[in-house]
Amino acid sequence: TEDFVGHQVLRVSAANEAQVQMVKELEDLEHLQLDFWRDPSRPGTPIDVRVPFSSLQAVKIFLESHGISYTIMIEDVQSLLDKEKRQMSSFQAR
Amino acid sequence: AQSTDTFNYATYHTLEEIYNFMDLLVAENPQLASKIQIGNSYEGRPIYILKFSTGGDNRPAIWIDTGIHSREWVTQASGVWFAKKITQDYGQDPTLTAILDSMDIFLEIVTNPDGFAFTHSSNRMWRKTRSKTAGSICVGVDPNRNWDAGFGKPGASSNPCSDTYRGKFANSEVEVRSIVDFVKTHGNIKAFISIHSYSQLLLYPYGYTSQPAPDEEELDQLSKSAVTALASLYGTKFKYGSIIKAIYQASGSTVDWTYSQGIKYSFTFELRDTGRYGFLLPASQIIPTAQETWLALLTIMEHTLNHPY
């Protein structure tokens, strides 16, 4: 199964239309393999994007260099998935 | 589980467990609940809906679906909880009893079975169907961009590798086609509610155009009542509005099509949360999410009952 170790979900806050467009351009860079949980739509509306570990540095540098603010919504996706799986299997065991 | 009373509603379940739950529920409530197969998914899995009816023939009906985007696990889990709630409350809750004494309720819990199975077996983050696109290595179509309403307009992607890929043509996905055929054959559905997560939103048409829907004022008022009822339980705040105003332009969406079919009370829910866990909502929040959403659903269903058209 697909592994998400090191993947992070970033919450990006685009301050203006230009920044929204820049984030949309990121969406087209298929090699980054970004997974938008909440699509870029308009300034002020949060954009949530899952970033594979291998793309994290590039994406963060891009955002910081363009002054686009972001926070880390999920530090490590895999740890949440493991927790979910543990809960399901403990129930099934019971 | 041996019965729907021992079923654990506070954890996520596999497709097989949910299908077994449906059989248990129908067996325990033969006078009220029945299971209908409306088609087979792309990979050949049966697509089931539950019908809750107290009699009559082709009564006015309410449709609720969950799980059209497979990774939004809290929605299928809520759908399971809604099914049990309906059987528990009929005859007990006066509002639900009045609704079911005059109308039928159809509930499709796993609207995208192939995608849901794939989230359990291979990729928890999978959103789309699992259909193959000729000429592309990428798989799947966004089943909420594949409906014949503004299909092909801005608000969906023509790239098969995109998560919002609309598909080669409207209703190309059998998971969508099956519902379209059912709705058209039934012909008497008066409310259509499609449940997604996350963002805590209650949305009504349109998504593909900024033109206001003819019934916008009524839909807006009803949304306000519904989100107020929802918030009354745990204080969970929902925003509401038309799809294009509240979030973004989305073409080919479910409720734009159902509204175009004359189903006035067409809504999309985006359940918990607003963005801490997103699609990975902890199982501990399943029941509270389902409970608060149920209050909003009751508000919409009661309004539909009291405003026949």
Side-chain angles (χ1 to χ4, degrees), chain B residues 283-305:
Chain B
S284 57
Q285 293 197 39
I286 292 173
I287 293 179
T289 300
Q291 287 172 326
E292 64 190 12
T293 307
W294 180 250
L295 298 180
L297 290 175
L298 270 183
T299 303
I300 293 169
M301 295 195 285
E302 187 180 27
H303 182 94
T304 304
L305 173 69

Side-chain angles (χ1 to χ4, degrees), chain A residues 8 10 26 29 31-34 51-66 68 70:
Chain A
Q8 291 191 337
L10 306 184
L26 271 182
L29 302 178
H31 67 283
L32 292 176
Q33 292 193 305
L34 301 183
V51 183
F53 180 69
S54 56
S55 307
L56 262 183
Q57 193 177 24
V59 168
K60 287 181 176 179
I61 289 171
F62 175 87
L63 294 173
E64 287 160 18
S65 61
H66 288 91
I68 302 173
Y70 69 89

Side-chain angles (χ1 to χ4, degrees), chain B residues 200-266:
Chain B
Q200 293 175 202
L201 297 169
L202 177 51
L203 306 168
Y204 50 77
Y206 292 111
Y208 72 87
T209 174
S210 52
Q211 281 296 319
D215 303 292
E216 173 157 290
E217 190 176 337
E218 182 183 2
L219 295 176
D220 202 68
Q221 279 306 311
L222 179 49
S223 300
K224 184 177 181 181
S225 307
V227 300
T228 303
L230 187 151
S232 68
L233 194 56
Y234 298 112
T236 307
K237 297 203 179 337
F238 269 56
K239 292 179 182 165
Y240 58 91
S242 68
I243 297 167
I244 195 165
K245 284 188 196 132
I247 35 173
Y248 43 55
Q249 185 169 23
S251 60
S253 72
T254 311
V255 293
D256 279 357
W257 180 77
T258 59
Y259 189 75
S260 75
Q261 296 302 300
I263 301 175
K264 181 184 349 179
Y265 302 118
S266 290

Side-chain angles (χ1 to χ4, degrees), chain B residues 128-194:
Chain B
K128 303 191 286 184
T129 63
R130 291 293 302 164
S131 61
K132 303 292 183 288
T133 299
S136 172
I137 56 162
C138 291
V139 172
V141 169
D142 181 346
N144 197 31
R145 297 292 187 283
N146 187 242
W147 300 72
D148 196 8
F151 181 83
K153 289 185 177 358
S157 171
S158 57
N159 175 356
C161 298
S162 165
D163 254 349
T164 56
Y165 175 50
R166 65 167 77 95
K168 283 199 183 309
F169 51 88
N171 302 335
S172 63
E173 302 310 286
V174 64
E175 295 80 1
V176 169
R177 170 97 262 167
S178 302
I179 300 172
V180 168
D181 293 344
F182 180 83
V183 167
K184 286 186 169 180
T185 306
H186 185 280
N188 201 14
I189 291 177
K190 297 298 179 184
F192 194 107
I193 302 160
S194 191

